[in-house]
Amino acid sequence: MIAYRGMVDVPRELVRHLARLLAAERRARGTRRGTRAFTCFYQALLVLIWFRKAEDKTLLGTGFGVSRATAYRSVAEGVAVLAAQAPDLHEALQQVADDGWSYVILDGKQFDRDCDRVAETALSVKGDTIDVWYSGKHRDVGATHPSDHATDGLPTWTSDAMPGHLHDLTCAQQQGITAALNRSAAELNLPALSDAGYDGAGHGIKTPVKQPNDGRRLAPDNRTTNRLLRGLRWHGERGFAILHGRWKSLHHTTSGPRGIGDIVAAALHLTHVEYRHLPEGR
């Protein structure tokens, strides 16, 4: 095995931030000093290298002089402490409202997975047996994550992983997203813009006007509304690009589908730290 020097393009402040979270976790667990393979700083560095480069954990552990099991355990602990820092939906909406944004963007993305450790099935509306995590829309196995984005596209919140076969609106309803957005529109004056996949989501969630079934053209005012929505909603795609492009561990994960939710939430918190989008006191 050949060793070589490497670099990772994350700021030292981010490593220190994660190291403080790991130190607090060790104190909460009552971990005795000197009983871990390496310090909180180097564990944080290992975790961030995995997030940034998606390197093989066995080789990554070898580079740090720890075993394969220790490398896997260290990354899992880092993901857990980061995911615990991610805001819930109500906190995210309140922060966006306090920051003075006039609306949020509701969108969803499927994150692919590269393992076959899932054998869950369900009955389709036609009564056929289908793979719970297979998306006919994307023709791939993965987990769907509805999320909210600020006006400038910065992702502010991501949901838990939902089975890939579910419709976007069904995912949002089962996660309580539509109810939270209905409330924020009424109480915080913070409407949500979304695509046609969320049609019928309720008050305050603006979707494009659908084309008439009889083939007639939309009225000019409806076409203008749709054009305006398209011109504003594209920032939601930028939000996913920020997450997906910055943290390569999200490209193809070997985690179980339900574990993807913690990885995405952890990446969201790392993004918030880098963009300084944190509530006061954190």
Side-chain angles (χ1 to χ4, degrees):
M1 188 173 294
I2 301 174
Y4 66 96
R5 288 182 177 271
M7 298 184 67
V8 60
D9 56 342
V10 296
R12 181 172 290 269
E13 292 76 12
L14 189 60
V15 183
R16 289 173 175 166
H17 174 78
L18 178 52
R20 288 193 293 270
L21 295 178
L22 291 169
E25 178 67 14
R26 291 186 185 186
R27 288 194 298 270
R29 293 184 179 187
T31 303
R32 291 175 295 167
R33 187 181 298 273
T35 59
R36 301 295 292 268
F38 40 30
T39 64
C40 293
F41 182 88
Y42 281 104
Q43 183 182 355
L45 183 59
L46 180 146
V47 172
L48 290 174
I49 291 174
W50 178 78
F51 265 103
R52 184 69 185 95
K53 297 184 175 182
E55 290 193 3
D56 180 85
K57 295 174 187 174
T58 302
L59 293 178
L60 187 57
T62 301
F64 278 81
V66 298
S67 67
R68 176 178 181 271
T70 300
Y72 271 77
R73 186 168 55 248
S74 297
V75 171
E77 184 179 10
V79 168
V81 298
L82 286 169
Q85 298 298 311
D88 65 27
L89 180 53
H90 295 287
E91 292 174 343
L93 291 172
Q94 186 64 58
Q95 184 178 358
V96 169
D98 292 342
D99 289 343
W101 297 111
S102 56
Y103 61 88
V104 294
I105 301 168
L106 171 63
D107 204 351
K109 179 176 177 59
Q110 176 170 306
F111 289 93
D112 300 334
R113 45 190 304 278
D114 271 347
C115 68
D116 56 0
R117 294 180 293 165
V118 176
E120 294 184 60
T121 59
L123 290 178
S124 68
V125 293
K126 297 181 180 180
D128 300 326
T129 301
I130 59 174
D131 187 337
V132 167
W133 297 95
Y134 181 81
S135 170
K137 176 182 177 181
H138 299 91
R139 298 189 178 185
D140 200 357
V141 176
T144 301
H145 291 263
S147 67
D148 284 315
H149 306 264
T151 308
D152 61 354
L154 180 69
T156 58
W157 175 83
T158 59
S159 75
D160 294 333
M162 296 295 290
H165 81 283
L166 293 177
H167 189 271
D168 290 344
L169 179 58
T170 303
C171 292
Q173 290 172 336
Q174 292 186 5
Q175 292 273 3
I177 300 170
T178 53
L181 292 176
N182 295 156
R183 172 190 169 276
S184 68
E187 299 183 9
L188 302 178
N189 195 27
L190 192 68
L193 310 184
S194 60
D195 59 30
Y198 296 94
D199 186 45
H203 167 76
I205 301 177
K206 310 298 183 182
T207 58
V209 180
K210 291 186 176 181
Q211 189 75 22
N213 292 330
D214 57 9
R216 290 183 295 111
R217 290 192 68 189
L218 285 174
D221 55 342
N222 289 335
R223 293 202 302 271
T224 302
T225 298
N226 289 353
R227 184 174 299 177
L228 177 61
L229 282 174
R230 286 196 301 270
L232 297 174
R233 282 194 299 105
W234 71 269
H235 287 290
E237 297 297 331
R238 175 179 180 267
F240 284 121
I242 290 173
L243 281 178
H244 203 254
R246 177 62 172 160
W247 310 111
K248 292 184 179 179
S249 59
L250 300 180
H251 289 191
H252 292 285
T253 177
T254 56
S255 171
R258 300 189 189 281
I260 300 175
D262 284 344
I263 297 174
V264 175
L268 176 70
H269 180 65
L270 292 175
T271 302
H272 285 176
V273 175
E274 287 198 326
Y275 280 78
R276 303 185 185 279
H277 181 77
L278 294 173
E280 294 185 7
R282 284 195 179 185

